[in-house]
Amino acid sequence: MSTQTVAFSHYNHISAQLPLNPETAELVSGDVKEQTEQCLKNIKAIIESINHVMDDVVKVNIFLKNIEDMAAVDEAYTTFFPDGIPARRTVGVSALPNDALVQIDVIVSNAEGTPPEV
């Protein structure tokens, strides 16, 4: 079991999200674009629950079962980050939990001097 977000210093670290429907805890069906959208929806919900917005994201880590799916991931990614501002790392992996096609984690910035939400 892991924590969804941990605040440290000027950052909140959001745990890696699988493309799970939060109401059913089941993997969403569909291709990597749909699974990416669900990962990012889950991340957005967590970020908003700690009084932040997606513009506060400074780093995104994407783990892909098939690195050649990057173009499809980008289609979904740009709807959440239209200016492409966060630093991003993409890693190809051989397997992900629940046989997911993608898993994403992010780091969110807290304003200088702003105590992190707990």
Side-chain angles (χ1 to χ4, degrees):
M1 181 147 190
S2 65
T3 304
Q4 285 188 326
T5 179
V6 175
F8 179 76
S9 184
H10 297 296
Y11 300 99
N12 280 75
H13 298 262
I14 309 299
S15 294
Q17 296 296 302
L18 289 167
L20 301 177
N21 178 323
E23 294 176 11
T24 65
E26 297 290 324
L27 190 72
V28 296
S29 59
D31 62 14
V32 71
K33 180 182 176 190
E34 292 167 317
Q35 288 195 8
T36 300
E37 288 171 352
Q38 188 62 55
C39 289
L40 291 168
K41 285 178 187 176
N42 294 347
I43 287 167
K44 184 177 182 203
I46 294 166
I47 288 172
E48 291 174 350
S49 78
I50 58 171
N51 299 318
H52 281 279
V53 294
M54 293 296 277
D55 284 347
D56 295 334
V57 173
V58 295
K59 176 75 187 274
V60 177
N61 295 305
I62 301 171
F63 302 92
L64 277 176
K65 193 169 179 183
N66 183 350
I67 198 72
E68 293 178 14
D69 285 339
M70 200 61 232
V73 168
D74 281 342
E75 286 181 42
Y77 183 88
T78 56
T79 63
F80 290 85
F81 301 106
D83 298 324
I85 297 301
R88 183 171 79 172
R89 172 177 67 166
T90 304
V91 179
V93 297
S94 62
L96 290 167
N98 295 29
D99 204 28
L101 302 174
V102 61
Q103 184 177 40
I104 303 173
D105 68 77
V106 301
I107 299 172
V108 180
S109 175
N110 294 315
E112 193 78 29
T114 302
E117 296 287 328
V118 179

